[in-house]
Amino acid sequence: MNNGLRILKRRRAVDLALARQYLDVPVANVSDCMARMTAGGARLRPMHAGGRMAGPALTIKARPGDNLMIHKALQLAKPGDVIVVDAGGDLTNALIGEIMVGDAVNQKLGGFVMNGAIRDAGAIREGSFPVFAAGVTHRGPYKDGPGEINVPISIDGMVIEPGDLVIGDEDGLLCVPFDDAERLLAAAHQKQVIENKMVADIQAGTFDRSWVDATLTRLNCYIEE
């Protein structure tokens, strides 16, 4: 088997019904429940008009500027899948554009994540199909490979296994490991309850900030009288 040019089967994937429940949860809340230790990199921003993304990852490791395996992934993807591409973050050549996004929309996929560049940014920005990318360039892609499908990838230290849950909103991207998806959904809902109470307390003028002075005291902070 040629490492660097291979297409593997995805052995498992987070249930799509479970994934879609994350569409009602802010990414920041899930991130807090993961100890704020995981992130997909601040460079990868939403390129679409707006709206959340959640779906099982179909992963691709691509040569920078080459989209051969992205085209193959579009043949393999199932409805709801998020195609996640690690192309090294290179912005020299675009990996996808309006045509490939249109194909993904037609197949009812869940979104695109490109650790690289896109083009046709205006058309993508007008649509609601989730597209996250590191940048924009008019220069088109190569189609020669190498590349790998359904292998573990990493974006700015965030490891994504095939079938993991990938979520995104205006704050960025997050990978929820397959085995943690149900637990973290419940935790994120509880986090939302806590934050809703905080907002209500602020509006009522009863918000408790006593923890601030308690922390400063613990840290032995000097405060001039």
Side-chain angles (χ1 to χ4, degrees):
M1 181 167 56
N2 182 4
N3 289 349
L5 191 61
R6 56 181 178 165
I7 299 170
L8 305 181
K9 291 183 178 180
R10 189 170 62 183
R11 302 298 179 184
R12 63 182 188 177
V14 68
D15 183 74
L16 187 55
L18 174 62
R20 286 176 172 160
Q21 293 182 59
Y22 274 83
L23 293 172
D24 298 323
V25 180
V27 170
N29 285 2
V30 183
S31 178
D32 284 353
C33 294
M34 295 176 69
R36 302 166 181 163
M37 292 286 288
T38 303
R43 286 201 311 155
L44 271 66
R45 307 307 307 160
M47 299 292 177
H48 55 293
R52 293 175 180 164
M53 176 184 70
L58 196 167
T59 61
I60 302 172
K61 189 171 183 63
R63 178 169 71 96
D66 190 289
N67 74 356
L68 173 63
M69 288 301 183
I70 304 175
H71 281 282
K72 183 59 183 179
L74 283 168
Q75 294 178 345
L76 300 174
K78 299 177 181 179
D81 280 352
V82 176
I83 295 178
V84 186
V85 181
D86 176 19
D90 182 80
L91 304 181
T92 306
N93 297 81
L95 298 170
I96 63 169
E98 180 181 9
I99 292 174
M100 295 177 75
V101 169
D103 190 357
V105 170
N106 188 57
Q107 294 190 57
K108 297 181 172 56
L109 302 190
F112 273 125
V113 176
M114 299 286 135
N115 189 17
I118 65 163
R119 66 178 180 178
D120 304 324
I124 291 171
R125 191 178 302 113
E126 291 176 358
S128 61
F129 183 80
V131 176
F132 290 77
V136 177
T137 180
H138 57 80
R139 294 177 62 176
Y142 301 104
K143 305 177 187 299
D144 306 306
E148 300 177 316
I149 295 178
N150 284 325
V151 296
I153 60 174
S154 176
I155 298 176
D156 278 7
M158 182 177 73
V159 176
I160 305 167
E161 299 274 355
D164 281 350
L165 174 63
V166 178
I167 59 176
D169 63 15
E170 291 83 356
D171 288 334
L173 293 160
L174 184 62
C175 175
V176 177
F178 177 91
D179 292 328
D180 297 334
E182 289 194 28
R183 175 183 64 82
L184 284 170
L185 178 63
H189 280 148
Q190 183 58 37
K191 174 72 173 175
Q192 188 66 49
V193 170
I194 294 170
E195 291 199 352
N196 287 344
K197 183 179 184 305
M198 292 171 67
V199 171
D201 288 346
I202 288 172
Q203 294 173 343
T206 58
F207 186 57
D208 181 12
R209 292 188 178 87
S210 60
W211 68 269
V212 177
D213 287 338
T215 301
L216 293 173
T217 298
R218 177 175 59 83
L219 295 173
N220 196 30
C221 175
Y222 170 75
I223 301 176
E224 186 176 29
E225 300 292 342

